[in-house]
Amino acid sequence: MSHTEQPVHVTRRLQKEESASYDRSTLDYIHRASATGLYEIRGLGAKRKLPHFDDLVFLTASLSRYPLEGYREKCSTRTVLGTRFAKKPIVLDTPITIAGMSFGALSANVKEALGKAATAMGTTTTTGDGGMTPEERMSSKTLVYQCLPSRYGFDPDDVRRADAIEVVLGQGAKPGGGGMLLGQKVNPRVAKMRTLPEGVDQRSASRHPDWTGPDDLAIKIQELREITDWEKPVYVKVGATRVFNDVKLAVHSGADVVVVDGMQGGTAATQTCFIEHAGIPTLAAVRQAVAALEDLDMKGTVQLIVSGGIRTGADVAKALALGADAVAIGQGVLMALGCNRDTYQQDGQIHSAEAGYAALGTAPGYCHHCHTGKCPVGVTTQDAVLEQRLEPEWGARHVRNYLKTLTMELTTLARACGKQDVHHLEPEDMVALTVEAAAMARVPLAGTNWIPGQN
Amino acid sequence: MCGIVGLLLKKPALHDRLGELMVPMLIGMTERGPDSAGMAVFGACLPEQQRKISVYSGLTDDGAAYDWVGLADAVNAALKVHATPVIKGNHAVLTFEGPAEPVKAFVKTFDAKLHLLSAGRSIELYKDIGTPAEVAARYDFAHLGGSHLVGHTRMATESAVTPDRAHPFTAGEDFCLVHNGSLSNPNGVRRMLEPRGIRFETDNDTEAACRFLEWRLREGDTLHDALQKGFEALDGFYTFLMGTATELALIRDPFACKPAVVAETDDYVAIASEFRSLAHLPDVKHARVFEPAPEEMYVWKI
Amino acid sequence: MEDLSFDLAVQTVRALNQFLHGPADTLAGRHVRVSNPDGAHNIAVGINAPVKVTIEGHAGYYAAGMNKFAEVVIEGSASTGVAENMMSGKVHVKGFASNSAGASAHGGLLVIDGDAGLRCGISLKGGDIVVGGSVGSFSGFMAQAGRMLVCGDAGDALGDSLYEAVIYVRGTIKSLGADAQIEPLTEADIASIAELLAAGGLQHEPASFRRVASARTLYHWNADADQEY
């Protein structure tokens, strides 16, 4: 056969070879960057595959470890946060809390729904970068108030109205970056709360205006305590980077509770390069945070809340087993409200949201366009029409159901490990499925005694 | 993250009171720095043919019970330098005839766990883990005399809380540095200096600044020019306070996030991270109190 | 009614603040003198009543922080963050102020007789800051609303990333920040300046000030403009 007469199937296969480095996603990135000269801004958290809680499994009941009965035998989920200095610590019925997300990023209806759900579940919700809305204060039995670098809407009356204060250094999606809200979401109400001109892009402050470093943070925390006459717990939240050092310094600065947010943590808007390439996986962050507390003999005195990609009851159980006292969920509750769902419910009717996704150039299951303010299901929007697609009662019920499911799964796994209290879960209750997860979580690779880096 | 203090007494009649005035300054910085504390005191200058070194035994097995007399005897047997120790538990100042380098080298080979703190004709340096009050009591700071001092309390950031990572850091003779802040490129600076024969003892970011200045001074720069080059080479946030045999020097980076305040009278110049540490000083109500501007070099001579 | 005294040499800042957080009707119109402040932090923070407080000496960080309704006089200097996040009322520093004076204040009046350090009025969200002396670099950084009046000089990067706040400067400006520009004074500015000078007890010719405001080119992010965003 001559060269020009080779079988067709041979030449066809050789013409479509994909590159692992310059894959379709990278090609799309380069094409877009060259067309616009802009970095991409999007919502949600890191989308690429990372070592995560899925890489750990529980060693439940065996001949040497006996389970609790699922229905008759109690498994406590009561959680207390802020025992170190505050006169009035936070007492929760479940260790699952709702993470800080701003009014501005989210609609007022969403904040109300989250508050109602948290109240029903006996847990906390948290304000975000934009201040406290009356809706969320009224609907949340227990509300954590964030103090952020931007100080948008920060008000001492709200400090006095809050149940705890959370001083935010950063979040897992963008440690070292500040909040971002594009002009299309700065509607009159948001503009007024944040003292911004309407429709104008909000710029990010990445440092606090009046303190830098743990030595100054110590004085700032004291200021917040003095203003609240030492009643309310002060949390310190960091995006997960140098977690061991940061947790130690947060404790030295006087934090009652430390919140560590891993790179899977979400945002409503930031540069993609930040989301995917800054911060460490939550799995690695948890153990470093716990190690820091143990190093200072503060485990149990200063509580640890972990967030960033907590999705399921199993995730909650694993975070607790690794040593967290509680978790915070952001993206998960938004998905419970309908994020990436193909329908929404309005006025008792189910409607298709497909057209809304298509208009954004995406589809349910793939959307991360929170930054546009055109959320097809009315969650991350300030648009007067779109925000009606999320009704507070419906939303509250869905979030409550989600958190209830997670809590039930948590106790199921805890009971199977023989625990009467979910806080008795420990690292030895688990093994890892991959070498990376074993190293990060500091538990043995399944079937072996090996913990990379430890033995 | 830390607290810094500095004090320079303008009148020799006050030199006996240096320690007494300094202890409350140091303790006032406890909240900024609860983990460890250090102090470099500059006193009467030894004659040209003598030197003294400060040595720390806290990392040895014997710790505060270290046999300093035995060390001095061994130095004299080997080098015949008439070394005499002044001992305070895990710390000793060894005064001797002749240059410092041979004695330093001997001490290191005699016991690798001994830590050399300082060398010179005027400087004595103390540092240890513990609260400022504990460290001050351990070394009887209240009774130290001298013309000027540089002190520091530490809240450890990126490197561990061990005594050798406490400040002040020294370089060469009669030079020390304390730092409040956090440098963002210490590793690059270290990698630039090591091939030039500059030895590092710790991974502390402050040591990178100190060794950079040591290099520039070794190359013949004045302190002023060395600090000017430092603005380019050192990245991050810093207030630096330095001491030499005859002066105190202070600079702040352009962002000036880390605080510093100065109180000056006819009798003294006092520097601290917060006014709280200066509040007890004599006649401070009539002192000129001001904040040093960023990127400017302030130098006070004895 | 006679003045009340707190001596911080024998009483705690916590006790003082707790007292100052008492019922507004018992505090209204009272004058509280605080002696021996000696640079203590968080003096008179979070007041929520029309009480007058005089701090007889130097204050530490966050003096009169988050002030509402009160009038606080600091006879010495104030450290970082004096009157930070003030909502209303008046704070008067007779000496100099350190960094971040009036940071993120939403309202009220902050008067500093001497100089202010770096980042004076950073993140300002309303209210007025009047400085008899000069201000350090990065003053008015990201200031969103409100007014600043500087009788002396300003350092580098004045008004970087300004939104709608306006800064009046009488002396030299070492450099303007991104998007800050000098604009001609209008009649309304002259009146504002006169009002601010009177509020600060200062005597200068209003027309001798310059107006610094936002060029508003950063309001909408635009790649073609080569913005540093």
Side-chain angles (χ1 to χ4, degrees):
Chain A
M1 226 187 273
S2 76
H3 174 79
T4 50
E5 288 167 24
Q6 282 194 333
V8 165
H9 66 277
V10 173
T11 51
R12 206 175 278 152
R13 199 156 55 218
L14 291 172
Q15 281 171 355
K16 287 194 179 175
E17 183 184 354
E18 193 175 0
S19 160
S21 300
Y22 292 90
D23 61 1
R24 298 199 56 164
S25 169
T26 302
L27 290 168
D28 179 68
Y29 158 81
I30 297 176
H31 292 156
R32 212 192 48 76
S34 57
T36 63
L38 300 170
Y39 40 56
E40 188 195 17
I41 289 175
R42 68 161 171 87
L44 299 188
K47 285 188 151 178
R48 60 186 168 122
K49 188 151 171 52
L50 294 164
H52 198 41
F53 293 114
D54 288 342
D55 299 321
L56 302 179
V57 287
F58 278 102
L59 303 175
T60 47
S62 58
L63 202 46
S64 54
R65 179 69 63 86
Y66 319 136
L68 263 52
E69 288 292 352
Y71 300 102
R72 266 165 288 278
E73 285 162 9
K74 188 178 79 70
C75 182
S76 171
T77 55
R78 185 176 178 273
T79 304
V80 184
L81 302 173
T83 54
R84 189 180 184 195
F85 289 127
K87 288 188 202 155
K88 297 183 179 169
I90 305 288
V91 180
L92 306 171
D93 292 339
T94 167
I96 308 170
T97 69
I98 298 180
M101 293 182 282
S102 75
F103 166 68
L106 308 177
S107 72
N109 285 348
V110 167
K111 291 303 272 176
E112 187 187 334
L114 293 176
K116 288 187 155 117
T119 302
M121 284 300 297
T123 187
T124 55
T125 185
T126 308
T127 66
D129 194 357
M132 186 188 286
T133 63
E135 292 92 338
E136 67 188 318
R137 178 64 279 190
M138 280 191 310
S139 60
S140 314
K141 178 160 167 284
T142 314
L143 182 60
V144 181
Y145 185 45
Q146 285 191 334
C147 178
L148 297 114
S150 70
R151 305 288 168 88
Y152 289 130
F154 196 73
D155 189 329
D157 285 341
D158 292 330
V159 172
R160 288 183 270 264
R161 276 196 274 268
D163 298 292
I165 320 293
E166 182 172 282
V167 179
V168 177
L169 266 93
Q171 59 183 111
K174 45 181 156 177
M180 181 182 283
L181 197 67
L182 297 178
Q184 56 264 32
K185 293 175 87 168
V186 185
N187 71 2
R189 187 177 174 196
V190 170
K192 186 154 189 290
M193 277 185 75
R194 300 191 187 204
T195 322
L196 292 170
E198 287 174 36
V200 153
D201 294 339
Q202 164 193 308
R203 288 162 240 156
S204 310
S206 58
R207 284 204 311 266
H208 280 262
D210 58 356
W211 66 267
T212 319
D215 43 2
D216 289 350
L217 174 59
I219 307 173
K220 188 69 188 171
I221 291 178
Q222 278 171 22
E223 187 200 8
L224 294 165
R225 286 202 207 288
E226 286 292 322
I227 290 177
T228 58
D229 293 322
W230 289 71
E231 287 183 351
K232 302 172 205 272
V234 177
Y235 300 13
V236 173
K237 177 173 177 178
V238 294
T241 54
R242 297 178 185 76
V243 177
F244 184 77
N245 293 327
D246 281 358
V247 172
K248 285 183 82 168
L249 291 171
V251 172
H252 277 314
S253 306
D256 292 297
V257 175
V258 182
V259 183
V260 176
D261 192 26
M263 75 182 285
Q264 291 96 323
T267 173
T270 200
Q271 299 90 319
T272 307
C273 62
F274 238 135
I275 299 175
E276 297 292 349
H277 301 285
I280 67 173
T282 306
L283 189 69
V286 186
R287 272 328 286 274
Q288 284 195 307
V290 174
L293 291 175
E294 288 172 342
D295 193 81
L296 294 173
D297 197 25
M298 281 286 178
K299 182 122 184 20
T301 307
V302 172
Q303 284 81 34
L304 174 67
I305 300 178
V306 158
S307 61
I310 307 286
R311 311 150 299 170
T312 64
D315 287 345
V316 180
K318 292 168 188 173
L320 261 54
L322 289 175
D325 294 286
V327 300
I329 301 183
Q331 292 169 95
V333 299
L334 296 188
M335 288 159 190
L337 288 167
C339 166
N340 272 294
R341 194 178 178 135
D342 50 0
T343 60
Y344 62 93
Q345 179 161 315
Q346 192 174 348
D347 296 325
Q349 297 240 323
I350 295 179
H351 303 262
S352 168
E354 307 261 2
Y357 290 103
L360 291 169
T362 184
Y366 300 96
C367 180
H368 54 223
H369 294 279
C370 323
H371 60 291
T372 63
K374 296 191 165 68
C375 177
V377 290
V379 173
T380 59
T381 182
Q382 297 302 322
D383 181 283
V385 170
L386 292 174
E387 69 177 4
Q388 302 302 317
R389 297 182 180 182
L390 189 288
E391 295 174 340
E393 284 306 324
W394 183 96
R397 201 163 55 248
H398 275 71
V399 172
R400 181 182 159 272
N401 286 343
Y402 172 57
L403 297 180
K404 193 150 172 291
T405 306
L406 263 50
T407 306
M408 283 169 58
E409 288 180 342
L410 166 65
T411 56
T412 299
L413 286 165
R415 283 195 181 95
C417 290
K419 317 288 180 178
Q420 295 177 68
D421 187 323
V422 298
H423 297 291
H424 293 169
L425 284 164
E426 46 188 20
E428 290 80 1
D429 291 320
M430 298 184 294
V431 291
L433 300 175
T434 66
V435 172
E436 288 90 346
M440 288 183 186
R442 302 184 205 174
V443 297
L445 189 61
T448 76
N449 288 329
W450 183 43
I451 303 178
Q454 307 288 316
N455 59 27
Chain B
M1 294 301 127
C2 326
I4 61 176
V5 297
L7 183 61
L8 185 148
L9 298 175
K10 297 181 182 177
K11 305 216 160 103
L14 289 167
H15 285 188
D16 284 344
R17 295 185 63 198
L18 185 71
E20 171 211 325
L21 292 169
M22 166 266 283
V23 170
M25 290 176 75
L26 197 67
I27 293 177
M29 292 287 89
T30 302
E31 278 171 11
R32 292 193 89 87
D35 298 332
S36 45
M39 178 72 55
V41 178
F42 294 86
C45 212
L46 290 171
E48 170 52 47
Q49 62 274 28
Q50 286 187 335
R51 293 294 184 277
K52 52 182 169 176
I53 59 173
S54 298
V55 191
Y56 174 79
S57 66
L59 297 166
T60 67
D61 298 330
D62 291 330
Y66 195 80
D67 181 13
W68 293 108
V69 174
L71 170 70
D73 289 345
V75 168
N76 288 327
L79 301 172
K80 308 205 185 332
V81 289
H82 305 292
T84 53
V86 173
I87 300 165
K88 285 177 182 162
N90 65 12
H91 182 279
V93 177
L94 218 61
T95 307
F96 48 85
E97 308 275 326
E101 284 313 308
V103 178
K104 285 165 69 177
F106 179 84
V107 169
K108 278 314 289 193
T109 49
F110 180 79
D111 188 338
K113 289 189 184 163
L114 284 174
H115 184 63
L116 292 162
L117 294 168
S118 66
R121 292 167 59 190
S122 173
I123 189 174
E124 290 179 11
L125 198 146
Y126 305 80
K127 57 184 179 182
D128 209 353
I129 49 177
T131 65
E134 287 165 356
V135 176
R138 189 172 305 148
Y139 299 130
D140 197 22
F141 281 172
H143 292 109
L144 288 175
S147 53
H148 57 292
L149 62 84
V150 171
H152 184 268
T153 64
R154 185 160 184 255
M155 184 194 294
T157 48
E158 290 175 58
S159 53
V161 189
T162 59
D164 53 331
R165 289 175 176 86
H167 308 197
F169 282 86
T170 58
E173 294 195 357
D174 288 321
F175 177 79
C176 72
L177 172 93
V178 296
H179 169 213
N180 181 10
S182 177
L183 295 177
S184 62
N185 68 338
N187 300 301
V189 170
R190 178 166 45 82
R191 279 188 287 273
M192 184 268 291
L193 293 173
E194 280 171 340
R196 289 171 164 76
I198 306 280
R199 272 193 52 251
F200 274 70
E201 288 160 13
T202 72
D203 56 6
N204 185 298
D205 62 331
T206 304
E207 191 182 1
C210 190
R211 301 278 162 247
F212 176 84
L213 294 172
E214 174 184 336
W215 171 53
R216 291 319 313 158
L217 295 170
R218 186 186 79 178
E219 298 299 301
D221 284 359
T222 59
L223 182 59
H224 181 280
D225 288 347
L227 290 171
Q228 198 63 49
K229 291 184 181 136
F231 282 130
E232 294 290 316
L234 302 171
D235 202 350
F237 297 86
Y238 50 85
T239 295
F240 287 135
L241 179 64
M242 290 145 287
T244 69
T246 56
E247 59 203 349
L248 287 183
L250 175 82
I251 58 165
R252 298 173 81 187
D253 74 78
F255 300 111
C257 285
K258 302 319 295 180
V261 62
V262 180
E264 186 164 10
T265 69
D266 290 338
D267 289 343
Y268 61 80
V269 174
I271 302 132
S273 301
E274 297 175 20
F275 182 79
R276 276 196 301 174
S277 276
L278 308 175
H280 69 285
L281 288 167
D283 207 31
V284 78
K285 282 184 166 40
H286 299 114
R288 180 180 156 240
V289 177
F290 67 95
E291 288 198 327
E295 287 187 283
E296 273 186 39
M297 271 167 244
Y298 293 79
V299 181
W300 297 276
K301 294 187 191 293
I302 56 170
Chain C
M1 261 192 288
E2 63 187 40
D3 293 351
L4 294 160
S5 296
F6 267 84
D7 181 355
L8 290 179
V10 297
Q11 290 162 294
T12 62
V13 170
R14 189 167 163 180
L16 167 65
N17 284 332
Q18 194 124 28
F19 175 77
L20 290 170
H21 297 159
D25 47 8
T26 56
L27 287 169
R30 303 301 309 261
H31 182 194
V32 178
R33 297 188 155 279
V34 180
S35 55
N36 297 310
D38 289 348
H41 302 309
N42 301 317
I43 301 176
V45 297
I47 304 182
N48 195 16
V51 62
K52 182 172 174 181
V53 180
T54 300
I55 299 170
E56 294 171 344
H58 300 290
Y61 280 43
Y62 311 132
M66 301 200 212
N67 183 40
K68 214 174 162 190
F69 304 129
E71 182 189 343
V72 180
V73 177
I74 299 164
E75 290 182 341
S77 68
S79 189
T80 299
V82 61
E84 68 90 14
N85 222 105
M86 170 164 59
M87 305 304 288
S88 64
K90 180 182 172 186
V91 178
H92 181 186
V93 181
K94 293 191 173 173
F96 65 85
S98 183
N99 293 348
S100 302
S104 198
H106 289 249
L109 170 66
L110 170 62
V111 176
I112 301 163
D113 291 350
D115 295 337
L118 287 83
R119 290 179 282 280
C120 181
I122 179 176
S123 201
L124 191 64
K125 294 171 169 63
D128 295 326
I129 302 178
V130 176
V131 182
S134 299
V135 297
S137 298
F138 308 107
S139 287
F141 177 64
M142 283 190 148
Q144 298 164 236
R147 303 178 295 182
M148 284 174 59
L149 185 95
V150 179
C151 298
D153 305 325
D156 277 318
L158 179 68
D160 192 298
S161 291
L162 266 185
Y163 287 88
E164 294 297 303
V166 174
I167 308 173
Y168 301 111
V169 183
R170 187 162 180 274
T172 58
I173 298 170
K174 193 152 176 242
S175 67
L176 288 169
D179 209 37
Q181 63 187 13
I182 301 197
E183 297 176 349
L185 292 176
T186 64
E187 287 299 313
D189 287 313
I190 300 279
S192 264
I193 293 168
E195 186 198 330
L196 290 165
L197 286 167
L202 295 154
Q203 311 266 28
H204 291 294
E205 185 50 56
S208 64
F209 287 78
R210 283 180 288 171
R211 171 188 160 101
V212 175
S214 173
R216 299 194 180 124
T217 64
L218 293 180
Y219 272 26
H220 298 285
W221 189 28
N222 178 354
D224 290 330
D226 267 330
Q227 274 168 2
E228 286 292 329
Y229 196 66

